[in-house]
């Protein structure tokens, strides 16, 4: 049996994926393996470890909770950690996003967001509203519902035929706009695609529109242009479509605001968060929804029908509350907002002039670097090279954890690298991440 998520090696490729080392321990921005190697965590794993590893306060909070009781089942008990985390999330969201269901990760959170949208329409007697609209080059998770609305070809392919029908709009990417669309027209063009699709389907059939405010693994930290989210909000309101922001990767402060869409001055109806919520200390995600969505659901059904056995797990909530308390107390979201541009600039200084760097983008401590074979035409590399995986492996051998993935151009072609350092990384650590990536890229390109 294998736990490995390594891709198959393309036929004839001289590159062999490295074998996974065994993890031993972590502290702050560093992780150590059992062979004594040290790695700087430049991507927080997959944008998870937002306050780094081995935080004593979080570990103590988890241990203290385990010493009291691990878990109070949600139909039997509430708990201090659940109430504390709920209060933190309500305060951080502000506005009308005041209801939350706590789950065990991002896919479960997205699954719940979709179901809350469906249940909202059902509660209002609109059972015809069953269809979701999403975008290409998006990733919403691995459960069947979340996968059904994910525009990530390689991850969908083996399951095609068994997925729920959904609509997919163009990716919203200033570097790769749809053909004949100028950069300054992109927001309006992509928003109008949403409106056209709602009208094509019939508004009475559409349950919700789900999107990542800053696209993660499927695109490579791609923010939408200014104004896009506001237009989406208006279109969703016009046609009674529920607006769902998937902030599993870009949320909980990663982009320099606690909610990623705060940046755009927009509140969605429903929002998923996960990775950074408990910072990787325990599995935790949340589906957060507005009072407007909650009203009909509570009136008709009493509660959203999305719970699982471990919903609101007491110790996971204790971990989440401890992580979020540190983030708030130490003003880490403010730090990400203040230092993000410096981090981006240092990457641009180190890499932007290289002929294989197509685009460096992102927001806060969520940065994507896209590799291209030709800067003029933006032609990506031959996917058979599995360049993104070579960069991942070379960086790892050089002691840097980063998060490259492929297929961001058309589902097959494209290589990009995500950096998502811990919010509390020092300037020296951020510099080390940039240096190690620059060295690793030089080595990979020299060996091509
Ligand atoms: C935007 C987004 N949504 C959902 C998910 C699924 O989360 P999980 O892997 O925790 O199930 C991910 C995971 O990468 C993600 O990036």
């Amino acid at each position: 049996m294998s736990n490995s998520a390594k891709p198959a090696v393309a036929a004839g490729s001289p590159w062999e994926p490295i074998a996974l080392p065994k993890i031993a321990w972590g502290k702050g921005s560093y992780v150590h393996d059992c062979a004594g190697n040290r790695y700087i965590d430049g991507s927080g794993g997959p944008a998870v470890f937002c306050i780094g590893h081995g935080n004593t306060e979080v570990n103590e909070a988890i241990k203290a909770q385990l010493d009291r009781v691990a878990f109070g089942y949600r139909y039997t008990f509430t708990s201090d950690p659940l109430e504390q985390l709920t209060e933190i999330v309500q305060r951080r969201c502000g506005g009308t996003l005041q209801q939350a269901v706590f789950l065990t990760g991002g896919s479960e959170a997205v699954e719940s967001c979709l179901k809350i949208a469906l249940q909202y329409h059902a509660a209002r007697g609109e059972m015809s509203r069953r269809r979701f609209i999403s975008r290409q080059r998006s990733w919403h998770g691995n459960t069947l519902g979340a996968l059904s609305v994910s525009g990530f070809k390689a991850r969908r392919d083996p399951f095609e035929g068994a997925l729920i029908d959904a609509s997919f709009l163009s990716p919203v990417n200033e570097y790769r706009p749809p053909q004949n669309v100028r950069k300054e027209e992109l927001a309006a063009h992509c928003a109008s695609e949403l409106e056209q699709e709602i009208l094509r389907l019939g508004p009475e059939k559409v349950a919700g529109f789900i999107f990542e405010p800053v696209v993660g693994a499927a695109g490579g930290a791609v923010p939408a242009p200014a104004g896009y989210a506001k237009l989406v909000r208006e279109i969703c309101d016009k046609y009674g479509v529920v607006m769902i922001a998937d902030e599993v990767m870009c949320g909980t402060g990663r982009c320099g605001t606690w909610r990623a869409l705060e940046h755009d001055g927009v509140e969605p109806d429903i929002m998923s968060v996960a990775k950074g919520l408990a910072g990787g200390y325990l599995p935790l995600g949340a589906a957060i929804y507005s009072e407007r969505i909650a009203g009909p659901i509570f009136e008709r059904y009493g509660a959203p029908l999305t719970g699982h056995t471990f919903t609101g797990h007491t110790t996971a909530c204790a971990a989440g509350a401890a992580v979020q308390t540190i983030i708030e107390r130490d003003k880490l979201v403010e730090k990400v907002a203040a230092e993000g541009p410096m981090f981006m600039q240092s990457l641009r200084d180190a890499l932007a002039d290289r002929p294989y760097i197509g685009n460096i983008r992102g927001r806060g401590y969520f940065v994507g670097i896209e590799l291209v074979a030709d800067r003029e035409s933006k032609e990506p590399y031959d996917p058979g090279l599995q360049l993104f995986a070579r960069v991942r492996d070379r960086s790892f051998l050089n002691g840097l954890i980063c998060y490259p993935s492929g297929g961001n151009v058309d589902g097959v072609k494209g290589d990009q690298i995500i950096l998502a350092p811990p919010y509390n990384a020092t300037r020296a650590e951020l510099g080390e991440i940039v240096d190690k990536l620059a060295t690793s890229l030089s080595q990979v390109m020299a060996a091509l």
Side-chain angles (χ1 to χ4, degrees), residues 226-255:
Y228 171 76
K230 276 209 167 110
L231 292 171
V232 166
R233 178 71 274 177
E234 284 166 23
I235 292 164
C236 287
D237 287 344
K238 185 169 170 189
Y239 297 104
V241 170
V242 172
M243 179 180 186
I244 305 171
D246 181 356
E247 299 207 358
V248 164
M249 203 164 190
C250 60
T252 60
R254 167 110 352 250
C255 292

Coordinates of all heavy atoms in Angstrom, one line a residue, residues 226-255:
A226 N -9.5 43.8 -9.5 CA -10.4 44.7 -8.7 C -11.8 44.8 -9.4 O -11.9 44.8 -10.6 CB -9.7 46.1 -8.7
G227 N -12.8 44.7 -8.6 CA -14.1 44.9 -9.1 C -14.9 43.7 -9.4 O -16.1 43.6 -9.4
Y228 N -14.1 42.6 -9.6 CA -14.8 41.3 -10.0 C -15.8 40.8 -9.0 O -16.9 40.5 -9.2 CB -13.7 40.3 -10.3 CG -14.3 38.9 -10.6 CD1 -14.9 38.5 -11.8 CD2 -14.2 37.9 -9.6 CE1 -15.5 37.3 -12.0 CE2 -14.7 36.6 -9.8 CZ -15.4 36.3 -11.0 OH -15.9 35.1 -11.1
A229 N -15.3 40.7 -7.7 CA -16.1 40.2 -6.6 C -17.4 41.0 -6.4 O -18.5 40.4 -6.2 CB -15.3 40.0 -5.4
K230 N -17.3 42.3 -6.6 CA -18.5 43.2 -6.4 C -19.5 42.9 -7.5 O -20.7 42.8 -7.2 CB -18.1 44.7 -6.5 CG -17.6 45.2 -5.1 CD -17.8 46.7 -5.0 CE -17.6 47.1 -3.5 NZ -16.5 47.9 -3.3
L231 N -19.0 42.7 -8.7 CA -19.9 42.4 -9.8 C -20.6 41.1 -9.6 O -21.8 40.9 -9.8 CB -19.2 42.4 -11.2 CG -18.7 43.8 -11.6 CD1 -17.8 43.6 -12.8 CD2 -19.8 44.7 -12.0
V232 N -19.8 40.1 -9.1 CA -20.4 38.8 -8.8 C -21.5 38.9 -7.8 O -22.6 38.3 -7.9 CB -19.3 37.8 -8.4 CG1 -19.9 36.6 -7.7 CG2 -18.4 37.4 -9.5
R233 N -21.2 39.7 -6.7 CA -22.2 39.9 -5.7 C -23.5 40.5 -6.3 O -24.6 40.0 -5.9 CB -21.6 40.9 -4.6 CG -22.4 41.3 -3.4 CD -22.6 40.2 -2.4 NE -23.8 39.4 -2.7 CZ -24.2 38.3 -2.0 NH1 -23.5 37.9 -1.0 NH2 -25.2 37.6 -2.4
E234 N -23.4 41.5 -7.1 CA -24.6 42.1 -7.7 C -25.3 41.1 -8.5 O -26.6 41.0 -8.5 CB -24.1 43.2 -8.6 CG -23.7 44.5 -7.8 CD -23.0 45.5 -8.7 OE1 -23.2 45.5 -9.9 OE2 -22.3 46.3 -8.1
I235 N -24.6 40.3 -9.3 CA -25.3 39.3 -10.2 C -26.0 38.2 -9.3 O -27.2 37.9 -9.6 CB -24.3 38.7 -11.2 CG1 -23.9 39.8 -12.2 CG2 -24.9 37.5 -11.9 CD1 -22.6 39.4 -13.0
C236 N -25.3 37.7 -8.3 CA -25.9 36.7 -7.5 C -27.2 37.3 -6.8 O -28.2 36.6 -6.8 CB -24.9 36.3 -6.4 SG -23.6 35.2 -7.1
D237 N -27.1 38.5 -6.3 CA -28.3 39.2 -5.7 C -29.4 39.3 -6.7 O -30.6 39.0 -6.4 CB -27.9 40.5 -5.2 CG -27.1 40.4 -3.9 OD1 -27.1 39.3 -3.3 OD2 -26.4 41.4 -3.5
K238 N -29.1 39.7 -7.9 CA -30.1 40.0 -9.0 C -30.9 38.7 -9.3 O -32.1 38.8 -9.5 CB -29.4 40.5 -10.2 CG -30.3 40.9 -11.4 CD -29.5 41.6 -12.4 CE -30.2 41.8 -13.7 NZ -29.4 42.3 -14.8
Y239 N -30.2 37.5 -9.3 CA -30.9 36.3 -9.7 C -31.2 35.3 -8.5 O -31.5 34.2 -8.8 CB -30.1 35.6 -10.8 CG -30.0 36.5 -12.0 CD1 -28.8 37.2 -12.3 CD2 -31.1 36.6 -12.9 CE1 -28.7 38.0 -13.4 CE2 -31.0 37.4 -14.0 CZ -29.8 38.1 -14.3 OH -29.7 38.9 -15.4
G240 N -31.0 35.8 -7.3 CA -31.3 34.9 -6.1 C -30.3 33.7 -6.0 O -30.7 32.7 -5.5
V241 N -29.1 33.9 -6.6 CA -28.1 32.8 -6.5 C -27.2 33.0 -5.3 O -26.8 34.1 -5.0 CB -27.2 32.9 -7.8 CG1 -26.0 31.9 -7.8 CG2 -28.1 32.5 -9.0
V242 N -26.9 31.9 -4.6 CA -26.1 32.0 -3.4 C -24.6 32.2 -3.8 O -24.1 31.4 -4.6 CB -26.3 30.8 -2.5 CG1 -25.4 30.8 -1.3 CG2 -27.8 30.7 -2.0
M243 N -24.0 33.1 -3.2 CA -22.6 33.4 -3.5 C -21.7 32.7 -2.4 O -21.8 33.0 -1.2 CB -22.3 34.9 -3.4 CG -20.9 35.3 -3.7 SD -20.8 37.1 -3.6 CE -19.1 37.4 -4.1
I244 N -20.9 31.7 -2.9 CA -20.1 30.9 -2.0 C -18.6 31.2 -2.2 O -18.1 31.0 -3.3 CB -20.3 29.4 -2.2 CG1 -21.8 29.1 -2.0 CG2 -19.5 28.6 -1.2 CD1 -22.2 27.7 -2.4
A245 N -17.9 31.7 -1.2 CA -16.5 32.0 -1.3 C -15.8 30.8 -0.7 O -16.0 30.5 0.5 CB -16.1 33.3 -0.6
D246 N -14.9 30.1 -1.5 CA -14.1 29.1 -0.9 C -12.8 29.7 -0.5 O -11.9 29.9 -1.3 CB -13.9 28.0 -2.0 CG -13.1 26.8 -1.4 OD1 -12.6 26.9 -0.2 OD2 -12.9 25.8 -2.1
E247 N -12.7 29.9 0.8 CA -11.5 30.5 1.4 C -10.6 29.5 2.2 O -9.9 29.9 3.1 CB -11.9 31.7 2.2 CG -12.6 32.8 1.5 CD -12.4 34.2 2.0 OE1 -11.8 34.4 3.1 OE2 -13.0 35.1 1.4
V248 N -10.8 28.2 1.8 CA -10.0 27.2 2.5 C -8.5 27.5 2.4 O -7.8 27.3 3.4 CB -10.3 25.8 1.9 CG1 -9.3 24.8 2.3 CG2 -11.7 25.4 2.2
M249 N -8.0 27.9 1.3 CA -6.6 28.2 1.1 C -6.2 29.6 1.4 O -5.2 29.9 2.0 CB -6.1 27.7 -0.2 CG -4.7 27.4 -0.3 SD -4.3 26.4 -1.8 CE -2.7 25.9 -1.5
C250 N -7.1 30.5 0.8 CA -6.7 32.0 0.8 C -7.2 32.7 2.1 O -6.8 33.9 2.3 CB -7.2 32.6 -0.4 SG -8.9 32.6 -0.7
G251 N -8.0 32.0 2.9 CA -8.6 32.7 4.0 C -7.9 32.7 5.3 O -6.7 32.3 5.4
T252 N -8.5 33.0 6.4 CA -8.0 33.1 7.8 C -6.7 33.9 7.8 O -5.8 33.5 8.6 CB -7.9 31.7 8.4 OG1 -7.0 30.9 7.7 CG2 -9.2 31.0 8.6
G253 N -6.6 34.9 7.1 CA -5.5 35.8 7.2 C -4.3 35.7 6.2 O -3.5 36.6 6.1
R254 N -4.4 34.6 5.4 CA -3.2 34.3 4.5 C -3.0 35.5 3.5 O -1.8 35.7 3.2 CB -3.5 33.0 3.8 CG -2.7 32.7 2.6 CD -1.6 31.6 2.7 NE -1.3 30.9 3.9 CZ -0.1 31.0 4.5 NH1 0.8 31.9 4.1 NH2 0.2 30.3 5.5
C255 N -4.0 36.2 3.1 CA -3.9 37.2 2.1 C -3.8 38.6 2.7 O -3.9 39.6 2.0 CB -5.0 37.1 1.1 SG -4.9 35.7 0.1

